[in-house]
Amino acid sequence: MEADETSIPAADSARQSQMLATIEAGLSEESVQKSGLLVQMTGITKRFGAFTANDGISLGVERGQIHALLGENGAGKSTLMKILNGLLRPDEGEIVWNGETVQFKSPQDAAKLGISMVFQHFSLFENMSVLENIAVALPGSIRQNGFNLGKLSKRIEEVGEAYGLALSPQRPVYSLSAGERQRIEIIRALLRDPKLLVLDEPTSVLTPQEADALFVTLEQLARKGCGLLYISHKLDEVQRLCSKATILRGGKLVGECDPRSENVRSLAAMMVGTHVPEVRSQALHKIGDVRLEVEALTLPAPDMHAKSLNHIMLSVHGGEVLGIAGIAGNGQSELFAALSGEALAPQARTILIDTMPVGQLDIESRRALGAAFIPEQRLGHGAVPGMALSDNLVLSRHGTDRLDRYGMVNFRRARRLSDEVVSKFDVRVSGKNPPAGSLSGGNLQKFVVGREILARPGVLVVDQPTWGVDAGAAVAIRQALINLAAQGAAVLVISQDLDELFSISDRIAVLHEGSLSAALPTGQVTRETIGLMMAGSEVDDAA
Amino acid sequence: MRLELVPRASVSPIARALSPLVAIVLAGLMAGLVIALMGRSPLAAFDIYIREPLGDSWALQEMGMKMIPLTLIATGLVYCFRANLWNIGAEGQYTMGAIVGSILPLATQGMELGRWLLVIALIMGVIGGAVYALIPSYLKVRLGVSEILSSLMLVYIAQLVLDYLVRGPWRDPKGFNFPQSVMFDAGSTLPVLFGDGRLHAGLILAIVAVVVSTVVLGWSLFGYAIKVIGSAPKAAGFSGFSAARISLMVFAISGGLAGLAGIVEVSGQIGQLKPSISAGYGFTAITVAFLGRLHPLGVVFGAFVVSLTAIGGENAQIMLKLPLDLTTCFQGLLLLSVLAADALTSSSIRVVRTPKKEA
């Protein structure tokens, strides 16, 4: 592609400069008011099967307002934003835009009204320049007439300067930092002349300095009358930036407030909740010896999207459930892989199972020592979707259940064992031995959990045991974990769900940025403390 | 609006067994329609394509001869394809197997060393194909090179090596400058099975390969690991299988069987090396493997259909003046029908009206 100034008809060219001028004027043309209600979502409900992701949520954003949408992972923020962006249609509820009820059939409908999104994950072509990446995503209305790379390049520089988003249009994307890549996404959004800009955890990949620069830009946009919806769980940012916050938990609206008049503790409390939905069965059982121990585990990140683990220390006793809290992407999968043996530790003595050094052993050797593992992803990691349940049983138990004789698999025995899992863990299946992929999330998770628990492990490591699972199955799974511990096993639960951790753990530690805090007895910490630690705040008076 | 394939919770075994038959009938009807549109009688075509070869001993033996290399290669490919590894270079491994397998018979030609030479030649053929297949596999495992491209490109290298050998160092000095080697001794030639027919003992090797592979793929932990790696690599890691080791092993097996097919073809049928030792068997075997739904027993069926239509196609060309391309066209129709029938047996079609995304 090449800039070709002469081929542009004068009229189109004029039209484009006018349009871009509107952008530069910062949305302050006569049609754009600087205050007043911009969008109101009322009673939004969205269900996925039996799971209600959004339950009667209302949310209003005013012009010139930076509005925070707070909530833990799985609280329903993304679903709500996908509805606002036209990616999903609500089952109930309405969206009023500038006083008019609107229905989005597609993201294009939302874009036409001026709703722009900046996603957490970038969609950029690595080998193309900044300019090309922006050009390729421009809406047809800008592109069809008077499209001109030379002018676009100039506009990018101008808009960049006006909003402090310095970017050289000719640079190839692969040479840019995460912060610079995000600027591309924001400039893309700005060129669409947005009335409402939605940012989904924009600082999660930024350095503190880059984040500061972003805040200046966002405040500038707000002053010019653009409404901003800022999704985050970083409370200090929200306090600094936002004048209003809507808080979701478990798909429900739990509150609205002005974050500036709250403190971080009260916000965290609203976010993570204070009610305890299920009480631990306090059957008396002995806490035994240490069965799983991690000694100063440090692992570099295997790739650029992963987290490194820094000096992880932990120990789990027999009869005990250790909970590891933390927001997704803070090293949970990496820690799980290191514990399971899917990633090997640098030294054998770094990880001990029943005092045996296992850091250099693979997953099957660790299973042979009595460990069992339940990964976060059910489909494709913990189970093969296309394979029948009995074949999926073989997956983790071929070495430990005499299923493998002279290299041949005893599929009949596997079938018996899998039927045992199905009946003991109340896995609802259609058909007799259906493929794993045909089960609902909750039922498949019950199968995977049951498969590992019926192997009678001495050590169980489980990552997000009830992620995306309906409430009934979640209770059953938690109960099974507690019961396993009561029988003397060491259970390590990695979870983002604080309610879950508080209801089943004896001690809780927090994983943040690949580092693990000391484990605190569950009775001696509050949700607020843990919530703050999850959000990365330093808590000195932990109690 | 778009269409979505939704996996069925349970598939009746009867439907699964009948689906290839339905596919054959459908493909036959479509081919009949094409033949009718070309102004020939579909019934006469059916007669020549299918019925006549099946009733004729010579044609049956010819079919068997085609089925031997196709079955051997396709059975090997089943290992790779089940592991989701795309060995497109079986043709090259076939050629390399023929070359390496021919080293001893050619070097000792005229000495009449006896039967043991044949056994060594066959083993060397297997090794030649296996080692040649390990090149793309090793490149993939160590450096992440796409095995599709590298295995395909190695085909041309193998063919050029063969071309060089039969025009250069291995050319028969009494061959009137034809690019071909000397003829193998009787001792290094695969024996013929029935009297004065042409069908050779390669058939037994093919049957053994199919039976062993059926057991290995269906009931062994290795076969299970291949399936897991093919459908969910992370689950394979969770299960404790090493993707790299299995990738190397399936390529070695696949290449070994292709190499065996190569030396079997040379020592059983052709009797010498020349540039045209393959009728594209390595590529046709890809179709055969999928016609057989990536199952060794299915491969026999696939090889049968492809060989039958190939023989029938030659007859139809002579008797009905139908183009030979029609055979390829029919094989394509058949493959599509089999794959479609398979997909529709295990999944049902759902019409989705609105764009919808999972949360």
Side-chain angles (χ1 to χ4, degrees):
Chain A
M1 282 193 281
E2 237 175 70
D4 188 356
E5 298 263 349
T6 52
S7 70
I8 311 297
D12 289 341
S13 189
R15 183 180 160 277
Q16 191 192 20
S17 6
Q18 188 194 347
M19 200 205 65
L20 289 171
T22 315
I23 297 169
E24 183 173 52
L27 323 147
S28 59
E29 295 296 311
E30 50 351 301
S31 66
V32 182
Q33 301 154 257
K34 284 200 182 180
S35 61
L37 196 61
L38 180 64
V39 64
Q40 175 70 48
M41 302 173 85
T42 313
I44 299 290
T45 297
K46 178 75 193 172
R47 296 182 198 91
F48 297 100
F51 178 68
T52 307
N54 281 175
D55 190 355
I57 293 175
S58 299
L59 168 72
V61 182
E62 288 174 21
R63 293 184 186 83
Q65 182 185 56
I66 307 184
H67 190 124
L69 185 59
L70 283 172
E72 291 185 286
N73 289 68
K77 292 171 299 181
S78 299
T79 305
L80 189 64
M81 286 311 102
K82 281 180 181 163
I83 289 169
L84 181 59
N85 194 36
L87 277 165
L88 289 174
R89 274 211 238 177
D91 296 325
E92 286 162 35
E94 63 166 7
I95 303 172
V96 176
W97 177 265
N98 269 333
E100 270 175 56
T101 304
V102 287
Q103 277 192 341
F104 301 139
K105 290 195 175 65
S106 72
Q108 283 76 32
D109 291 350
K112 266 182 221 150
L113 293 180
I115 299 177
S116 262
M117 274 194 92
V118 176
F119 290 98
Q120 193 177 356
H121 300 286
F122 312 140
S123 41
L124 297 170
F125 298 100
E126 294 268 323
N127 289 325
M128 288 165 76
S129 69
V130 171
L131 175 63
E132 287 163 336
N133 264 289
I134 290 173
V136 88
L138 283 182
S141 53
I142 297 182
R143 226 169 8 171
Q144 63 196 186
N145 297 314
F147 175 63
N148 177 322
L149 275 185
K151 274 194 182 161
L152 181 61
S153 168
K154 253 173 85 186
R155 295 305 311 158
I156 291 170
E157 282 180 343
E158 282 166 19
V159 172
E161 241 167 74
Y163 290 98
L165 297 164
L167 256 188
S168 157
Q170 302 307 333
R171 286 220 11 223
V173 166
Y174 63 77
S175 70
L176 302 179
S177 71
E180 289 171 313
R181 287 171 195 224
Q182 189 182 49
R183 283 180 207 160
I184 303 180
E185 296 276 5
I186 293 173
I187 289 180
R188 270 181 180 176
L190 291 182
L191 288 176
R192 281 164 172 264
D193 188 14
K195 312 276 188 299
L196 176 66
L197 188 60
V198 182
L199 298 116
D200 189 2
E201 296 183 20
T203 57
S204 61
V205 291
L206 300 189
T207 64
Q209 292 73 23
E210 286 175 328
D212 284 340
L214 173 70
F215 297 154
V216 173
T217 306
L218 297 184
E219 276 162 356
Q220 211 175 334
L221 267 169
R223 271 200 299 280
K224 292 184 176 172
C226 182
L228 285 108
L229 197 49
Y230 189 86
I231 304 174
S232 183
H233 41 234
K234 293 189 182 167
L235 302 174
D236 46 343
E237 283 176 8
V238 166
Q239 280 204 307
R240 170 177 164 182
L241 206 58
C242 305
S243 54
K244 192 162 183 202
T246 295
I247 298 144
L248 303 185
R249 172 154 41 88
K252 292 198 172 92
L253 180 72
V254 292
E256 282 187 347
C257 63
D258 180 350
R260 290 163 209 237
S261 62
E262 301 281 331
N263 61 37
V264 176
R265 265 171 205 278
S266 61
L267 283 174
M270 277 197 260
M271 216 166 103
V272 299
T274 45
H275 69 288
V276 187
E278 58 189 284
V279 184
R280 165 169 195 171
S281 64
Q282 285 288 2
L284 280 174
H285 58 272
K286 251 188 28 213
I287 300 294
D289 295 335
V290 173
R291 304 200 70 171
L292 172 66
E293 190 165 14
V294 177
E295 269 291 318
L297 169 68
T298 298
L299 263 188
D303 63 79
M304 61 180 278
H305 302 293
K307 275 269 177 303
S308 57
L309 296 175
N310 313 317
H311 204 76
I312 303 267
M313 307 274 274
L314 64 86
S315 61
V316 195
H317 296 258
E320 182 191 43
V321 178
L322 174 69
I324 293 188
I327 296 155
N330 274 291
Q332 283 92 338
S333 338
E334 291 79 5
L335 178 61
F336 178 85
L339 292 175
S340 72
E342 286 161 285
L344 295 182
Q347 282 119 32
R349 296 211 56 83
T350 313
I351 300 170
L352 304 163
I353 291 176
D354 285 330
T355 70
M356 274 281 287
V358 299
Q360 293 275 305
L361 297 183
D362 66 12
I363 188 166
E364 270 299 294
S365 314
R366 296 185 196 193
R367 285 196 183 111
L369 291 170
F373 309 95
I374 303 170
E376 173 183 8
Q377 250 186 312
R378 289 181 282 276
L379 290 173
H381 193 175
V384 182
M387 281 189 177
L389 289 183
S390 64
D391 286 2
N392 269 298
L393 186 118
V394 180
L395 207 56
S396 66
R397 288 173 65 179
H398 58 84
T400 48
D401 274 88
R402 288 179 291 121
L403 289 173
D404 170 21
R405 284 266 178 97
Y406 312 112
M408 291 295 168
V409 182
N410 187 342
F411 284 107
R412 224 186 270 166
R413 189 175 153 73
R415 177 66 194 275
R416 257 205 322 278
L417 292 171
S418 117
D419 286 347
E420 188 191 347
V421 174
V422 167
S423 68
K424 285 201 177 156
F425 281 79
D426 186 29
V427 182
R428 315 261 162 87
V429 292
S430 54
K432 282 211 170 111
N433 188 21
S438 71
L439 267 63
S440 74
N443 276 308
L444 182 55
Q445 186 70 4
K446 281 198 278 187
F447 178 82
V448 171
V449 170
R451 179 182 70 191
E452 302 308 326
I453 286 182
L454 288 186
R456 288 172 196 78
V459 171
L460 179 69
V461 178
V462 45
D463 190 5
Q464 318 298 348
T466 59
W467 172 80
V469 159
D470 59 277
V475 172
I477 288 167
R478 287 169 194 159
Q479 194 60 53
L481 295 175
I482 295 170
N483 295 349
L484 181 71
Q487 288 159 23
V491 178
L492 186 136
V493 179
I494 303 170
S495 176
Q496 297 178 48
D497 185 338
L498 273 189
D499 288 340
E500 171 167 284
L501 290 180
F502 271 91
S503 69
I504 66 175
S505 322
D506 296 287
R507 290 183 298 145
I508 297 184
V510 175
L511 189 62
H512 181 72
E513 289 290 326
S515 297
L516 190 70
S517 75
L520 305 166
T522 307
Q524 295 172 28
V525 287
T526 60
R527 260 154 237 274
E528 288 76 10
T529 314
I530 298 292
L532 282 171
M533 288 160 79
M534 281 166 69
S537 301
E538 294 292 329
V539 183
D540 301 325
D541 54 336
Chain B
M1 193 192 90
R2 68 198 157 85
L3 300 176
E4 245 179 26
L5 278 179
V6 187
R8 292 180 205 269
S10 63
V11 181
S12 91
I14 301 169
R16 198 170 274 293
L18 282 181
S19 89
L21 290 178
V22 174
I24 291 178
V25 171
L26 278 178
L29 289 177
M30 284 188 274
L33 184 69
V34 173
I35 291 170
L37 286 173
M38 293 172 79
R40 315 292 204 288
S41 153
L43 282 180
F46 175 80
D47 210 44
I48 288 165
Y49 258 102
I50 314 287
R51 215 184 52 78
E52 264 182 31
L54 287 178
D56 178 72
S57 161
W58 177 87
L60 277 177
Q61 292 214 23
E62 282 301 306
M63 269 175 54
M65 309 260 288
K66 280 192 191 296
M67 280 177 69
I68 292 167
L70 285 176
T71 307
L72 280 172
I73 301 171
T75 303
L77 289 178
V78 167
Y79 287 84
C80 278
F81 293 168
R82 280 200 181 189
N84 216 1
L85 292 165
W86 302 103
N87 179 7
I88 306 299
E91 181 83 1
Q93 294 138 27
Y94 170 97
T95 307
M96 223 17 118
I99 292 172
V100 176
S102 298
I103 294 175
L104 273 186
L106 291 180
T108 63
Q109 196 262 344
M111 299 182 202
E112 298 290 351
L113 285 176
R115 277 281 167 239
W116 60 270
L117 185 62
L118 174 65
V119 176
I120 295 178
L122 291 178
I123 292 171
M124 283 180 68
V126 171
I127 292 171
V131 170
Y132 205 58
L134 282 174
I135 299 172
S137 183
Y138 184 79
L139 289 175
K140 163 136 187 149
V141 168
R142 287 306 302 267
L143 303 170
V145 178
S146 161
E147 78 280 14
I148 303 175
L149 282 178
S150 56
S151 65
L152 179 62
M153 291 192 288
L154 283 164
V155 170
Y156 306 116
I157 295 175
Q159 285 172 341
L160 289 170
V161 168
L162 173 65
D163 218 48
Y164 162 74
L165 288 173
V166 295
R167 285 172 208 278
W170 287 4
R171 189 176 56 187
D172 178 4
K174 298 184 202 122
F176 306 103
N177 252 343
F178 280 109
Q180 58 192 34
S181 73
V182 294
M183 296 294 290
F184 280 23
D185 285 339
S188 42
T189 306
L190 272 172
V192 167
L193 283 181
F194 311 108
D196 58 349
R198 302 216 307 140
L199 196 59
H200 52 78
L203 182 70
I204 296 167
L205 293 173
I207 292 171
V208 170
V210 166
V211 172
V212 170
S213 297
T214 305
V215 174
V216 167
L217 289 170
W219 287 281
S220 77
L221 191 64
F222 175 61
Y224 175 81
I226 290 174
K227 211 167 128 193
V228 174
I229 283 192
S231 34
K234 272 187 96 175
F238 176 69
S239 197
F241 303 129
S242 153
R245 196 184 311 148
I246 292 197
S247 163
L248 291 170
M249 283 171 82
V250 294
F251 261 91
I253 292 172
S254 176
L257 283 171
L260 179 65
I263 185 61
V264 159
E265 185 75 359
V266 168
S267 99
Q269 188 186 355
I270 306 171
Q272 65 183 158
L273 273 185
K274 48 186 184 179
S276 58
I277 54 168
S278 170
Y281 289 133
F283 295 118
T284 312
I286 299 171
T287 315
V288 170
F290 279 103
L291 266 179
R293 301 196 297 180
L294 300 188
H295 191 286
L297 293 177
V299 160
V300 177
F301 157 81
F304 171 76
V305 172
V306 167
S307 309
L308 176 66
T309 50
I311 303 277
E314 283 168 18
N315 291 346
Q317 193 182 15
I318 298 164
M319 318 210 4
L320 289 178
K321 307 265 179 296
L322 280 168
L324 203 54
D325 300 322
L326 197 63
T327 304
T328 324
C329 172
F330 176 68
Q331 287 170 357
L333 275 175
L334 193 62
L335 181 61
L336 275 179
S337 309
V338 166
L339 294 179
D342 214 27
L344 293 178
T345 327
S346 51
S347 306
S348 58
I349 291 182
R350 184 171 66 186
V351 181
V352 181
R353 288 192 193 283
T354 46
K356 198 173 169 185
K357 285 208 173 174
E358 286 295 308

